[in-house]
Amino acid sequence: MKIVMLGAPGAGKGTQAAMIAEKYGIPHISTGDIFRFNIKNGTELGKEAKTYMDEGKLVPDELTVRILLDRVSKDDCREGYVLDGFPRTIPQAEVLDGKLREMQDGIDFALDIEVPDEHIVSRMSGRRACLNCGATYHVRYAAPKQEGVCDACGGRLVLRDDDKPETVQKRLEVYHDQTQPLIEYYAGKGVLKKVDGTQELHKVFADIVKILEG
Ligand code: ADP
Ligand code: AMP
């Protein structure tokens, strides 16, 4: 099963992708997490990606596509995967489709998590990410057991630099301009499914499971 998560930044793609990955035993692949891992480890890729991420812009397609194709060619991806934050542009989607077509394959579901812009800033300002393992929490909607500490690994929880309100605004603009057209793109391929992302997160997940098992 190959799944693409669509939706604005903060819509809940990562939260739902992690739950899908756990339930169906497929890898959760987040290009944002791959970039943050590289930033943390001071790699050249991380240094280049950071300059774009800090401004709320997209990392160039060429670089992003290269790391994604490399990741999905790994053995653990044979039975499928859930992509979170990729594709974010039509050219990225076309490269992925081209690669899948070579293997007589394709995306099975593109899940669009719908959340209006008005909700996004509060979602993002309350998001806390683990510096160590990348797990995501929310101070109100998905709080860790102990404030500031990751339930999964004990790492320190922080507000991501790009979750500050001024950067969130820019990221929303970039989303509407470059990423939202993917909704039409996947609708045209007959794999688009819409989910109401304003619901409580377990209810969102229940709706997703119905779609995947429908
Ligand atoms: P994305 O991956 O789309 O950027 P996240 O999954 O990181 O979004 O979610 C953004 C923030 O909103 C996180 O702090 C997360 O805990 C919280 N969140 C996710 N889904 C919901 C929901 N259905 N209701 C309320 N808060 C949510
Ligand atoms: P995310 O963790 O998905 O919110 O992504 C954080 C940031 O990483 C984005 O704002 C972009 O700067 C960059 N990024 C992640 N995925 C992509 C992608 N597919 N294309 C371009 N930039 C990306």
Side-chain angles (χ1 to χ4, degrees), residues 7-16 84 88 123-124 126-128 136-139 141-142 160 171 197-202 204:
K13 300 181 296 296
T15 302
Q16 299 299 328
D84 158 20
R88 262 184 161 98
R123 284 258 183 118
M124 309 282 261
R127 171 156 68 182
R128 296 292 179 272
T136 296
Y137 300 85
H138 192 283
V139 291
Y141 310 125
R160 272 166 47 178
R171 292 169 69 197
T198 62
Q199 308 172 93
E200 191 277 319
L201 61 90
H202 294 98
V204 178

Side-chain angles (χ1 to χ4, degrees), residues 139-193:
V139 291
R140 282 201 5 238
Y141 310 125
K145 291 194 183 78
Q146 190 186 337
E147 197 187 322
V149 180
C150 178
D151 291 349
C153 76
R156 190 159 65 86
L157 302 181
V158 296
L159 177 70
R160 272 166 47 178
D161 283 343
D162 60 350
D163 281 349
K164 302 199 167 122
E166 51 293 6
T167 317
V168 170
Q169 210 48 53
K170 173 69 188 168
R171 292 169 69 197
L172 270 175
E173 278 166 33
V174 168
Y175 167 74
H176 289 301
D177 188 37
Q178 300 194 56
T179 306
Q180 211 171 13
L182 289 169
I183 295 173
E184 279 293 299
Y185 177 90
Y186 283 110
K189 296 195 172 291
V191 295
L192 181 76
K193 300 285 177 192

Side-chain angles (χ1 to χ4, degrees), residues 96-155:
L96 176 63
D97 273 339
K99 186 75 197 166
L100 290 170
R101 246 192 326 268
E102 282 172 18
M103 303 179 287
Q104 277 86 48
D105 205 346
I107 293 297
D108 300 298
F109 297 98
L111 302 175
D112 180 27
I113 316 279
E114 295 185 296
V115 175
D117 286 7
E118 306 84 86
H119 295 233
I120 295 293
V121 176
S122 80
R123 284 258 183 118
M124 309 282 261
S125 58
R127 171 156 68 182
R128 296 292 179 272
C130 176
L131 273 179
N132 184 46
C133 75
T136 296
Y137 300 85
H138 192 283
V139 291
R140 282 201 5 238
Y141 310 125
K145 291 194 183 78
Q146 190 186 337
E147 197 187 322
V149 180
C150 178
D151 291 349
C153 76

Side-chain angles (χ1 to χ4, degrees), residues 1 23-24 109 111 193 206-214:
M1 186 156 58
K23 182 169 171 75
Y24 298 101
F109 297 98
L111 302 175
K193 300 285 177 192
D207 285 359
I208 289 177
V209 169
K210 263 190 230 149
I211 290 167
L212 301 181
E213 298 184 1

